[in-house]
Amino acid sequence: MLTRCHPRARAIVALGGVVLMLAGPVRADEPAYDYDLVIRNGRVLDGQGNPWVRADLAIKEGRFARIGHVQGRGRREIDASSHYVSPGWIDMMDQSSEVLLKNGLAENKLRQGVTTAIAGEGGTPVPSAQVADYLSQLQTQGISLNFGTYYGAGQARIEVMGDVAGKPTDAQMTEMKAHVAEAMRAGAMGIATALIYPPYSFQSTEELIELARVAAQYGGIYASHMRDESAKLLDAIGESIEIGEKSGIQVEIFHFKGAYAPGWGKLVPEGGRLIEAARARGVDIAADMYVYPAGGTGLEITVPSWVFEQGLEQAVQRLKDPKIRERLKKEVAAGSQPGWSNLVEAAGGWQGVVLANPFNERYERYRNRSLADIGKQLGKDPADVAWDMVLEALPNRAYALYFMMSEPDIETALRFPWMSIGSDAGAAEKPGEMDAIGLPHPRAYGNAARVIAEYVKKRHVLTLEDAVRKMTSWPATRMRLYDRGAIREGLKADVTIFDYERIDDVASFENSMGSPTGIDYVLVNGQLVIDQGRHTGAKPGSVLRGGGYHGQK
């Protein structure tokens, strides 16, 4: 049926026609795209432990738009027919807080499939009053991966009391709680502790419960490098459980391990049973781990904690005193003491402590040699060598590798269903160089890839589906990142695409900065950051803030 058109309307239509004519027809060589990117025909692992399915993934505006058979076209398309496609991997124990301000690319993390990093074992690199600005600066400068952080319970103490031992007064405790609340409102994901290191080791269980109660009010998490991971591991787990029970906070144990040669085969299974019993009665506790038999930390950990009770300046003077050194050597030989975990004993003696980074040219030639061997070479007690290195590296930390764990214990811990994966390593400021903390350990370049290459492919400790779950949906659930961690329509499109046959962690204790192979594509919030094994330079990462955040995201 024809309809009449008002003369004025006819004029408008005519004018519209002129506009259309001026705009010109759509060119045949400029097809319309339905999606930003389509991943075709991959073996899709949803991240929740289900077997893979053959499917396409369509991504639009940073999210999964369609999963299954995708008929529409992508501006960029990837043929994943020979690859597995999984959610991006989450590093639950990262050390990149400072380096991301200098270089946000985090290439060594992304090349091992990591798209999200959770940092803050030692807290934030700024005081509580500056946490909001710190996180905003990261977002403004741009980062290539998603990043969240804890605030340090020890930071709150140091801001109020300095670095000395002692019980806080009621007034000091009130002030410390205020710092925790301030950090939580600024976006911290919870509070973290590093109870093996002075002055953090001076915090009592009661003090930590009080601070945890504050973080819990903001939906925060209590994460801990526990007081002891060696002979007193079970006591340390018990303390973490107590803090969770009495404060009502969720608890995360950092880098779970049985770092004590005399306890191999016993401590890890017993520790697992403790955690499972606590979970059975309603304590929300779990853990993460890295997958290497050696830990890495500063050589100052070989000094009994009482030396640091009056602060670092006094500790330096004590460590220079020959009489005090003689006392310390006897204490090292005697084993762990209350308030101090003896990592020399845990490593089976100085032969198990290997120099990683002396931060002093005089000792460079001794890298990758044990302190026992270096002592023989120099004609000195290895304890004197270690403590000389500590003093001569200041204001840096001299680092060592401590070979304290057994492979069977690593396998046992990996099988715990509540275990996730964390590297205890930072992004490198420059690719192929050491990570942010200056410790040459292969976990900085290979940890996530090694989970699959070593413990799925070679040893068959985990199924591929469960290994991916431990690096995706499970840690996302733990950190309450409900918009990512799984492949499902509407979620953020963090993606790791890898060739199962080629995946290899490469990095070793001899070649700690070797980049993994087989991880060919990585997407963060829908954008390619690793394209055929190369970093694209893109910075689509998001700063992740905790539930207590008050402000504009």
Side-chain angles (χ1 to χ4, degrees), residues 373-392:
D373 289 344
I374 299 170
K376 287 180 183 178
Q377 180 74 28
L378 296 176
K380 298 172 68 173
D381 189 306
D384 286 317
V385 175
W387 301 335
D388 287 347
M389 288 181 178
V390 168
L391 294 174
E392 294 177 39

Side-chain angles (χ1 to χ4, degrees), residues 13 41 82 93 134 153 171 208 228 292 305 333 401 414 440 498 527:
V13 171
N41 206 31
S82 61
M93 207 251 168
Y134 161 71
L208 294 171
D228 198 310
Y292 296 89
S305 295
L401 301 172
L414 266 176
F498 61 97
Q527 293 189 42

Side-chain angles (χ1 to χ4, degrees), residues 517-533:
T517 58
I519 299 172
D520 294 323
Y521 302 92
V522 177
L523 287 80
V524 174
N525 297 315
Q527 293 189 42
L528 276 166
V529 286
I530 299 296
D531 188 350
Q532 299 181 72

Side-chain angles (χ1 to χ4, degrees), residues 52-315:
W52 64 267
V53 296
R54 185 73 71 178
D56 303 332
L57 300 182
I59 295 166
K60 189 171 185 177
E61 296 177 354
R63 295 180 183 269
F64 295 114
R66 186 170 179 81
I67 302 167
H69 177 60
V70 175
Q71 292 183 326
R73 300 184 60 181
R75 187 173 299 277
R76 168 75 186 271
E77 300 212 351
I78 295 173
D79 177 8
S81 56
S82 61
H83 285 60
Y84 284 90
V85 181
S86 88
W89 300 343
I90 298 173
D91 187 338
M92 284 287 276
M93 207 251 168
D94 171 73
Q95 298 280 7
S96 302
S97 298
E98 295 187 40
V99 74
L100 291 179
L101 290 171
K102 302 174 185 176
N103 182 349
L105 295 179
E107 184 167 336
N108 60 309
K109 294 281 183 171
L110 289 156
R111 288 187 66 181
Q112 53 180 303
V114 171
T115 59
T116 296
I118 309 298
E121 176 197 23
T124 55
V126 296
S128 61
Q130 298 173 27
V131 171
D133 289 341
Y134 161 71
L135 295 175
S136 295
Q137 183 178 350
L138 282 177
Q139 190 70 69
T140 300
Q141 289 183 191
I143 48 179
S144 292
L145 79 179
N146 306 307
F147 177 82
T149 184
Y150 298 97
Y151 174 71
Q155 278 183 275
R157 180 187 172 96
I158 292 169
E159 289 195 51
V160 175
M161 297 177 61
D163 63 353
V164 299
K167 181 180 179 180
T169 64
D170 289 347
Q172 288 173 325
M173 198 69 220
T174 298
E175 192 175 349
M176 288 160 61
K177 290 179 182 180
H179 283 295
V180 170
E182 183 174 45
M184 294 302 298
R185 290 193 297 270
M189 307 194 88
I191 58 170
T193 60
L195 298 176
I196 199 171
Y197 303 110
Y200 310 118
S201 59
F202 302 144
Q203 288 189 293
S204 67
T205 306
E206 293 72 23
E207 184 180 325
L208 294 171
I209 290 169
E210 289 300 306
L211 297 180
R213 283 178 176 146
V214 176
Q217 292 171 5
Y218 293 91
I221 301 164
Y222 172 82
S224 184
H225 178 155
M226 296 184 298
R227 214 173 288 277
D228 198 310
E229 299 172 326
S230 302
K232 301 294 183 181
L233 172 66
L234 303 182
D235 292 341
I237 293 174
E239 180 186 36
S240 297
I241 292 170
E242 181 183 357
I243 291 167
E245 283 186 307
K246 291 185 176 178
S247 69
I249 201 167
Q250 175 181 315
V251 177
E252 178 75 13
I253 294 175
F254 282 147
H255 45 55
F256 181 93
K257 62 175 75 75
Y260 185 62
W264 286 352
K266 300 176 183 178
L267 288 173
V268 166
E270 290 175 6
R273 285 192 287 270
L274 271 180
I275 291 171
E276 286 165 359
R279 289 184 59 82
R281 63 178 184 267
V283 182
D284 190 357
I285 182 171
D288 56 72
M289 65 182 292
Y290 53 79
V291 287
Y292 296 89
T297 192
L299 271 171
E300 80 282 350
I301 198 64
T302 65
V303 181
S305 295
W306 66 264
V307 172
F308 298 90
E309 288 180 348
Q310 302 304 316
L312 180 59
E313 187 175 339
Q314 181 63 39

Side-chain angles (χ1 to χ4, degrees), residues 40 85 107 153 155 176 216 286 365 412 436 484 495 500 505 532:
R40 298 282 183 190
V85 181
E107 184 167 336
Q155 278 183 275
M176 288 160 61
R365 58 181 173 151
T412 296
R484 63 188 76 237
V495 183
Y500 184 78
D505 47 299
Q532 299 181 72

